[in-house]
Amino acid sequence: MSEEEYKQHILSIMERYAKGQASEADMLELDEWYEKFPPYQQYAAGMSAAEKRQSQDRILRNINQQIYKESIPSAHRSERTKGPLYLRNVLAAALILFALSAGTFYYLRESRLQKTEQLAQDLITPGSNKAFLTLADGNRISLTDAADGNIAIQAGVKISKAADGQLIYEVKESDQQSTSDAYNTIETPHGGQYQVRLPDGSTVWLNAASCLKYPVSFGKRERRVQLTGEGYFEVAKDHTRPFIVATEHFPATGGNKGKKGQEIKVLGTHFNVNAYNDEKDLKTTLLEGSVQVTPLKGSSVVLKPGQQAVNDGDIVQITNINTTYATAWKDGYFRFNEKTLEMGMKEVARWYNVNIRYKNPSLRKELLGGTISKYSNIEQLLKKMELTGAFHFTVKGREIVVE
C-alpha cells in the first residue's frame, strides 16, 4: 500500500470513528498508527492497554473538537457543506494537525485535556430564534419548542408558526374592523430574537430581551402596541387606523422618578425603536415614510427618513444618522461605530446571554468601531474587539471580565 493509499485508509477509519461506526479491527489499526510517532511511545510508556486506549480515544476526540470548533458552518451557510465530503475534509485537516503536532501534543497532562473538554462543553454560543407567547387566556407557549403549523385560535384569529420561525396572525376579512380586549404578549429572552406578523399584516422583529404586547384583533380607530426593549417595525399602510407604538422606560438607576416614555404614531412606514431599561435614552430611527414621536414631556416631533429621535426624558433631539447602524442587529451584525465599550458590551451581553464585569470602570467610555457578525463565536468576537489595544477580555464561565 502506497503512502497516499495508507493516508486515505486511515482517513476512512477516522471517518467511521467520528460517526461511531469504528470496529475493533479499526481501533487496532489506529493503535498501530498512533504508535508510529516516537513521542507517543515515550508518552505512553508504562501505560496498560486499557489506559492507552482511553488516552488515544480522548486525544482523537479532542482533535475533532478543536477542528469542528473552527469549522462548523453558521446557520447561514449552505447545507451542502455538511455532507460526507465536508466531513472527510475536516478529518483530513485533523490528520494533518495530528502529524504536525505529534511532537508536543502527547505531553499534555490529563488535567489539561479535561479542561479543554470542559471549555468545549461550556462554549458560549450566539443567540437564535427564541421567544415565549402568552395568550389572552394566560396560556404560555415556548415558540422555540412549538412545532410548525397552527398554534391557537382565539377571537376568530388563527395563530400559526411558519417554517422560518415567524409567528403569523390571520384574521377573517369580516373581522378586520372588530374590537377586542384580548391581548397577546411575545417575549424574547437574553440570547433570543423573533419575528411576528401582526393581525393587520404589519411585521415586527424583536431583538433579545424584548417584549411586545398587542391585541388579538386591532380596533376600528387605531392599531396600538406596547414595546419594551428593541423592535424593528414594517407597518402595513392603513390611512384610517394609525399604528401607535407606546413605550415606557424605567432606567435601572432611576426608578419611577426616572420614568421616560413616548408614543410613536405612523400610518405605514419602516422604523426602529430602542427602549431598553438599561439604556439611558429612548431612540427612534426612521428608514422610510414619516413618524410622529410624542414624549411624556415636551412637544411632538416629526422624523424624516435617515433621522433619529433621542428622548432623554426632558427633550427630544433629532439627528441625521446612518440607519444601518440602528438596524444592524436585525441583519445579523454588531455595528460598533460611534459607540462606547459599555454600549457595545450591553449588546453582547443580551445576545450571548452573559454578564459583563469591569475591573476598571473608566474603560466603559472607550470608543469602538467596526462591524462584526452576530454569529461569531464569543472568542472570535472578543479578539476582534481587542484589536483596539485599549482593553482585554477574560471569559470566566458566563461572565466576561473587562480589564
Side-chain angles (χ1 to χ4, degrees):
M1 186 182 295
S2 68
E3 182 177 347
E4 181 59 29
E5 289 173 336
Y6 183 67
K7 174 183 175 182
Q8 294 301 319
H9 179 63
I10 291 296
L11 278 173
S12 296
I13 295 176
M14 292 180 72
E15 186 172 349
R16 289 196 291 275
Y17 176 91
K19 293 178 179 178
Q21 299 172 354
S23 66
E24 184 64 25
D26 288 336
M27 295 305 297
L28 288 174
E29 274 206 78
L30 279 180
D31 289 347
E32 295 175 2
W33 182 72
Y34 283 127
E35 291 172 0
K36 287 185 178 182
F37 294 94
Y40 181 76
Q41 297 172 9
Q42 182 178 351
Y43 171 77
M47 284 186 179
S48 67
E51 288 173 332
K52 285 183 180 180
R53 176 61 54 79
Q54 184 180 28
S55 173
Q56 292 165 0
D57 184 69
R58 184 179 293 113
I59 289 168
L60 184 55
R61 207 164 58 243
N62 186 270
I63 290 174
N64 285 337
Q65 285 177 345
Q66 294 301 316
I67 293 296
Y68 274 96
K69 181 179 176 181
E70 295 298 326
S71 304
I72 288 177
S74 73
H76 298 289
R77 290 190 190 168
S78 172
E79 289 294 323
R80 64 186 178 184
T81 62
K82 302 179 184 180
L85 180 59
Y86 175 74
L87 176 60
R88 180 166 284 268
N89 289 340
V90 171
L91 290 171
L95 179 61
I96 294 170
L97 175 66
F98 187 96
L100 292 175
S101 61
T104 57
F105 190 83
Y106 293 119
Y107 290 99
L108 298 175
R109 294 294 182 262
E110 294 293 317
S111 60
R112 177 80 175 273
L113 291 170
Q114 292 172 359
K115 181 178 179 181
T116 302
E117 291 180 355
Q118 186 62 41
L119 286 173
Q121 293 173 4
D122 295 340
L123 185 65
I124 297 171
T125 57
S128 59
N129 285 341
K130 300 174 188 175
F132 295 93
L133 173 66
T134 302
L135 300 174
D137 61 5
N139 187 25
R140 194 166 189 257
I141 301 170
S142 170
L143 296 176
T144 313
D145 302 324
D148 297 345
N150 293 343
I151 291 178
I153 296 177
Q154 53 180 352
V157 178
K158 184 175 73 172
I159 308 171
S160 60
K161 178 183 174 184
D164 62 0
Q166 181 182 193
L167 190 67
I168 299 174
Y169 283 72
E170 295 179 81
V171 186
K172 293 181 180 179
E173 187 67 27
S174 59
D175 293 335
Q176 285 289 338
Q177 299 297 321
S178 65
T179 58
S180 175
D181 294 329
Y183 279 81
N184 284 180
T185 302
I186 183 170
E187 303 168 79
T188 55
H190 283 74
Q193 64 180 14
Y194 219 80
Q195 182 181 352
V196 55
R197 193 172 74 195
L198 297 174
D200 68 329
S202 297
T203 302
V204 184
W205 285 257
L206 285 180
N207 204 350
S210 300
C211 177
L212 184 72
K213 183 178 179 180
Y214 49 93
V216 175
S217 180
F218 289 116
K220 296 181 179 180
R221 296 183 178 180
E222 65 180 18
R223 298 169 287 168
R224 178 180 292 269
V225 301
Q226 297 176 21
L227 173 72
T228 301
E230 185 165 25
Y232 174 79
F233 294 78
E234 291 189 353
V235 177
K237 288 181 170 59
D238 185 339
H239 294 288
T240 64
R241 293 185 301 168
F243 191 100
I244 298 172
V245 181
T247 62
E248 286 189 347
H249 186 256
F250 298 89
T253 57
N256 287 341
K257 293 182 179 179
K259 177 181 176 182
K260 305 171 189 177
Q262 64 183 27
E263 287 189 354
I264 303 164
K265 183 178 180 180
V266 304
L267 296 177
T269 186
H270 297 181
F271 61 98
N272 191 85
V273 183
N274 185 312
Y276 284 111
N277 283 332
D278 62 353
E279 298 288 359
K280 179 183 176 183
D281 304 317
L282 291 166
K283 296 179 181 178
T284 305
T285 307
L286 181 63
L287 280 75
E288 66 174 56
S290 66
V291 301
Q292 177 180 290
V293 179
T294 305
L296 288 179
K297 302 177 182 179
S299 303
S300 299
V301 296
V302 176
L303 296 185
K304 297 178 181 178
Q307 292 184 330
Q308 181 179 82
V310 179
N311 178 2
D312 67 2
D314 294 321
I315 60 173
V316 177
Q317 293 184 330
I318 298 178
T319 58
N320 295 315
I321 71 162
N322 184 335
T323 58
T324 60
Y325 294 172
T327 61
W329 65 270
K330 181 182 73 71
D331 299 322
Y333 296 96
F334 292 110
R335 284 192 182 270
F336 293 133
N337 305 67
E338 301 177 4
K339 293 181 180 179
T340 63
L341 177 61
E342 182 176 27
M343 293 166 66
M345 292 310 291
K346 283 180 180 179
E347 295 181 33
V348 171
R350 296 184 198 114
W351 184 239
Y352 288 88
N353 191 20
V354 294
N355 296 317
I356 311 297
R357 178 163 61 89
Y358 295 86
K359 281 193 173 181
N360 182 354
S362 65
L363 292 176
R364 296 171 183 265
K365 297 181 180 180
E366 288 289 337
L367 293 178
L368 296 176
T371 301
I372 305 175
S373 169
K374 286 173 55 178
Y375 297 97
S376 302
N377 66 46
I378 197 68
E379 291 86 354
Q380 292 171 333
L381 174 74
L382 297 180
K383 284 180 181 178
K384 289 179 180 179
M385 294 179 71
E386 285 179 341
L387 292 177
T388 63
F391 43 80
H392 173 71
F393 299 108
T394 302
V395 180
K396 298 182 178 180
R398 300 205 69 83
E399 181 181 69
I400 298 176
V401 180
V402 188
E403 52 191 341

